[in-house]
C-alpha cells in the first residue's frame, strides 16, 4: 500500500500568505508599505470629508465687499 501525501493547493489567498510570510524581509516591507499607504488613504479621506463639511465656512470662502486693492 502506497501512501500519497497530498498538497493542498489552497488557492490565491494561501499562496499570497505564503509569499508574504516566507521571509522576514518581505513581511516587514509589506507591513511598512501597508502602513504608509493606509495612512495616506485615511489622511486623504479625512481631508475630503473635512472639505465637504466646511464648504462656505472656510477663510478662503469669505468675500470682502467694498475693499479696494492696495496700490503698489
Amino acid at each position: 500500500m502506497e501512501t500519497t501525501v497530498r498538497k493542498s493547493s489552497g488557492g490565491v489567498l494561501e499562496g499570497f500568505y505564503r509569499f508574504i510570510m516566507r521571509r522576514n524581509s518581505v513581511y516587514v516591507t509589506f507591513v511598512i508599505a501597508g502602513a504608509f499607504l493606509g495612512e495616506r488613504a485615511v489622511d486623504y479621506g479625512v481631508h475630503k470629508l473635512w472639505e465637504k463639511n466646511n464648504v462656505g465656512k472656510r477663510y478662503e470662502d469669505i468675500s470682502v465687499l467694498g475693499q479696494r486693492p492696495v496700490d503698489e
Side-chain angles (χ1 to χ4, degrees):
M1 229 186 208
E2 211 177 289
T3 58
T4 58
V5 178
R6 293 171 61 182
K7 267 191 171 176
S8 64
S9 61
V12 176
L13 290 178
E14 188 173 337
F16 182 69
Y17 176 78
R18 285 183 182 182
F19 174 74
I20 295 298
M21 299 303 262
R22 183 167 291 163
R23 292 181 171 247
N24 192 34
S25 59
V26 175
Y27 176 73
V28 170
T29 303
F30 181 76
V31 168
I32 291 173
F36 179 74
L37 292 175
E39 186 269 336
R40 298 279 298 200
V42 169
D43 186 48
Y44 178 79
V46 168
H47 181 72
K48 286 296 180 185
L49 185 63
W50 180 271
E51 292 292 324
K52 183 179 178 184
N53 287 334
N54 290 308
V55 170
K57 303 174 193 173
R58 298 173 300 173
Y59 180 76
E60 295 88 19
D61 298 332
I62 299 172
S63 64
V64 180
L65 299 175
Q67 193 176 37
R68 291 185 293 163
V70 176
D71 293 327
E72 293 183 21

